[in-house]
Amino acid sequence: MRIRGGRLPVGRNAADTSGSGGSGTPGGGTSPGGTPGGGSTPGGRDSTGAGRLASPWTRAAALLLAGALPALAFPAPGLWWFAYVALVPWLLLIRTARSPRRAALDGWIGGIGFVIAVHHWLMPSLHVFIVLLAALLGLLWAPWGLLVSRLLGGAPSALRAVAAVVVVPSGWLMIELVRSWEGLGGPWGLLGASQWEVAPALRVASVGGVWLVSLLVLAVNTGVALLIAVPRARTAAGVLLVVCALSVTAMWAWAPRPSSAGTVRIAVVQPGVVDGPGSVARRLDRGEELTRPLAGRDVDLVVWGESSIGAGAWERPETARRLAELSRLVGADLLVNVDARQTDGSGRSGIFKSAVLVGPGGPTGDRYDKMRLVPFGEYVPARSLLGWATSVGKAAGEDRLRGDRQVVMTLPDGARGLRIGPLVCFETAFPDMSRRLVRDGAQVLVAQSATSTFQDSWAPAQHASLGALRAAENGRPMVHSTLTGISAAYGPGGERVGRPLGTDASAAEVFDLPLAGGQTLYGRLGDWPVYGAFAALAALCAVEGLRALRRPAPRPPGPPAHTAHGSPGRPGH
């Protein structure tokens, strides 16, 4: 038969145009065009927005914008509520993909937009290199595009809608887990972190960490996408959204809360922007100037920011003497941060970033060397291949050395033997590091940071907000002390304590932090939402595998038929 005036439908199985066939994804048969679950073919003539996005360039631009939208939920814009719908345009675009290849491409392009938007403040340091970085990291979203297309494409049944609300967020969580590896930049911009000032979300974090918050945010986005685009699944989607709301309510009501264990008074010293010739010495002078007025205020600990003492100053014996004098004057130990060439306990020599405790007699011997370094900022991965990055941006000219263990420091009896867990810079983005310190006995988490390179960007606010998540996850207060802002403190439930110091401040601030005892569910169980996401994806793979085994194999073509008036070779003769 000859077909005139058109083309075969394009879908997952363009050859199947009869409307019959085997089963699709959970809960649905195969639709005309081979679309699992029934309904129109993804990207077909009646697909949402397909006509308006026919041009590949228009579609790519729309995907870049859709992928970038979630960045608005993070500080500094801080539109936390937007996180619950920010992914809907991206999901709807992938849903209209005409083929698996197009769906994977949609995931990749949207991922590029997401990475650039969330990390745009790195542009002054990385310049054009951020585009290459985004293109590489964006590949993590290509499999997610396939997953979204498979579960949301066509007209999903109620059962497939349920599977989508569970599995699509699980796929996203796997992306967050993979890119949380330090070598890929670390867990910056985890979607759950956008909810740092939402009290119910912080309670959720105490149950399953930032991972569980991300899962719930993605589940809501998926449910909203189903409500908009799939009429036959609206009831199921609505029920699932109600289930999400009830789950949060249950966690709010019944999850263990930290028990009160007194208070502790901790001061942070923020010298502000000090640059130009002699900036290292002038920063030390300003830190000393701000610390002296803390005498008589009964503080238990004074915290300076990251790199508060630089190369040169630390080597001079006078520096240790000045710091010891400050400790005696204030009546409390000082936690300073040294960015200089040193030798660690194992005899390695090089540049370390170290949290160092200084008491009335000088350095106490308590020292923590930063373990997780910022790619390009503190070391260049595969320097032999990527060393050229130092010529186009502000990449590290020499690699810092890593510490080999986390440290819990115990203050003197005058501070009631308080145990503190130091973290340096973007180590506050890693949930496992804070959890380990609390399990090792830390009563207060203390972060030392410096974001002066990105002073006028969204980075300082985003960095400071991470302290709320870490405090809530572990049920322990946290102090975030910086050189140039934002310095802040959070209680054991993640609530803000006192007045933060903004990026325009050069000051010292004293925080009365409530101490807490007991263990949160996240502290006890760890990253169980990640394992649940693995299980959901494994279940989907098992179902798809069984379905493929049960599908009858295609029959081999039969012998050519004889015509009434001829032979197979010469029909009609």
Side-chain angles (χ1 to χ4, degrees):
M1 180 178 69
R2 189 177 180 184
I3 299 176
R4 298 182 184 272
R7 297 181 179 178
L8 287 173
V10 180
R12 291 186 177 83
N13 184 4
D16 181 6
T17 60
S18 64
S20 63
S23 57
T25 53
T30 304
S31 69
T35 304
S40 60
T41 304
R45 188 165 298 180
D46 58 345
S47 296
T48 304
R52 293 189 296 274
L53 297 174
S55 166
W57 294 107
T58 303
R59 186 179 183 90
L63 284 161
L64 284 171
L65 178 60
L69 287 177
L72 297 175
F74 296 94
L79 305 178
W80 62 265
W81 52 268
F82 186 57
Y84 294 93
V85 294
L87 288 169
V88 172
W90 192 1
L91 292 169
L92 295 180
L93 281 168
I94 296 175
R95 183 178 176 274
T96 66
R98 293 176 176 269
S99 66
R101 180 179 178 183
R102 178 71 247 187
L105 185 62
D106 288 352
W108 179 44
I109 296 174
I112 293 174
F114 180 85
V115 172
I116 291 177
V118 172
H119 299 86
H120 74 276
W121 44 271
L122 286 172
M123 288 182 183
S125 295
L126 297 183
H127 297 291
V128 70
F129 192 75
I130 195 173
V131 178
L132 176 60
L133 181 66
L136 292 174
L137 290 179
L139 289 171
L140 294 173
W141 279 268
W144 186 70
L146 289 169
L147 191 65
V148 170
S149 178
R150 180 67 173 161
L151 291 169
L152 296 184
S157 64
L159 184 55
R160 187 145 67 100
V162 172
V165 172
V166 174
V167 177
V168 169
S170 297
W172 181 281
L173 198 65
M174 293 302 101
I175 299 171
E176 293 198 335
L177 181 66
V178 171
R179 69 186 186 89
S180 293
W181 178 48
E182 175 196 348
L184 292 179
W188 193 276
L190 302 184
L191 203 58
S194 66
Q195 307 302 295
W196 68 279
E197 56 185 340
V198 182
L202 292 173
R203 293 285 292 146
V204 172
S206 75
V207 174
V210 68
W211 311 114
L212 185 57
V213 183
S214 286
L215 279 175
L216 285 170
V217 171
L218 260 295
V220 172
N221 275 273
T222 308
V224 172
L226 287 166
L227 284 174
I228 293 173
V230 188
R232 67 183 293 186
R234 282 175 181 166
T235 300
V239 170
L240 289 167
L241 291 175
V242 171
V243 169
C244 289
L246 292 176
S247 299
V248 173
T249 303
M251 285 182 270
W252 173 269
W254 293 309
R257 296 178 183 270
S259 58
S260 177
T263 61
V264 64
R265 175 166 282 196
I266 296 180
V268 300
V269 174
Q270 179 177 299
V273 177
V274 179
D275 52 18
S279 59
V280 173
R282 289 188 292 113
R283 184 185 300 123
L284 176 59
D285 292 342
R286 181 58 178 159
E288 182 178 4
E289 180 183 348
L290 292 170
T291 303
R292 288 186 176 278
L294 296 173
R297 299 192 62 179
D298 196 27
V299 296
D300 297 299
L301 177 68
V302 179
V303 185
W304 288 16
E306 179 187 12
S307 303
S308 47
I309 300 177
W314 189 242
E315 284 81 0
R316 292 196 294 270
E318 177 192 358
T319 301
R321 180 189 61 76
R322 290 170 62 182
L323 294 173
E325 179 186 335
L326 277 177
S327 176
R328 291 194 295 271
L329 176 68
V330 175
D333 282 9
L334 276 63
L335 187 69
V336 299
N337 192 276
V338 179
D339 185 2
R341 199 170 298 278
Q342 305 174 69
T343 301
D344 69 356
S346 61
R348 294 181 301 159
S349 293
I351 301 177
F352 290 90
K353 280 195 174 182
S354 308
V356 178
L357 196 64
V358 180
T364 65
D366 289 311
R367 166 180 158 182
Y368 165 66
D369 296 325
K370 184 178 182 182
M371 296 174 62
R372 296 183 182 172
L373 305 177
V374 180
F376 297 99
E378 294 169 335
Y379 77 104
V380 176
R383 184 177 286 272
S384 59
L385 296 176
L386 301 177
W388 56 269
T390 59
S391 64
V392 298
K394 299 178 181 178
E398 179 181 349
D399 292 349
R400 266 64 172 173
L401 298 185
R402 305 170 188 273
D404 55 10
R405 63 187 178 90
Q406 291 189 261
V407 175
V408 173
M409 302 177 180
T410 302
L411 301 185
D413 291 340
R416 294 163 293 171
L418 185 72
R419 295 185 298 277
I420 63 171
L423 298 162
V424 181
C425 190
F426 92 142
E427 288 182 335
T428 60
F430 294 87
D432 65 299
M433 297 194 73
S434 299
R435 180 170 176 263
R436 174 62 184 268
L437 286 170
V438 171
R439 291 175 68 87
D440 287 347
Q443 296 169 281
V444 179
L445 299 169
V446 180
Q448 297 172 301
S449 173
T451 52
S452 54
T453 304
F454 315 106
Q455 188 73 357
D456 299 319
S457 71
W458 296 355
Q462 288 185 23
H463 200 175
S465 70
L466 296 174
L469 271 297
R470 303 293 87 85
E473 287 171 342
N474 298 284
R476 296 293 184 272
M478 183 165 187
V479 173
H480 182 82
S481 179
T482 73
L483 289 181
T484 61
I486 297 173
S487 298
Y490 304 94
E495 71 280 7
R496 184 178 284 168
V497 174
R499 178 179 65 91
L501 295 175
T503 55
D504 58 346
S506 175
E509 185 71 18
V510 176
F511 297 100
D512 290 311
L513 292 173
L515 295 175
Q519 237 181 341
T520 63
L521 286 176
Y522 176 71
R524 190 178 307 149
L525 303 176
D527 300 329
W528 64 265
V530 174
Y531 306 132
F534 270 124
L537 292 171
L540 177 69
C541 292
V543 169
E544 292 291 334
L546 289 173
R547 182 167 288 112
L549 290 174
R550 291 175 180 175
R551 189 176 298 126
R555 296 180 179 179
H562 289 267
T563 63
H565 301 288
S567 66
R570 299 180 65 191
H573 293 279

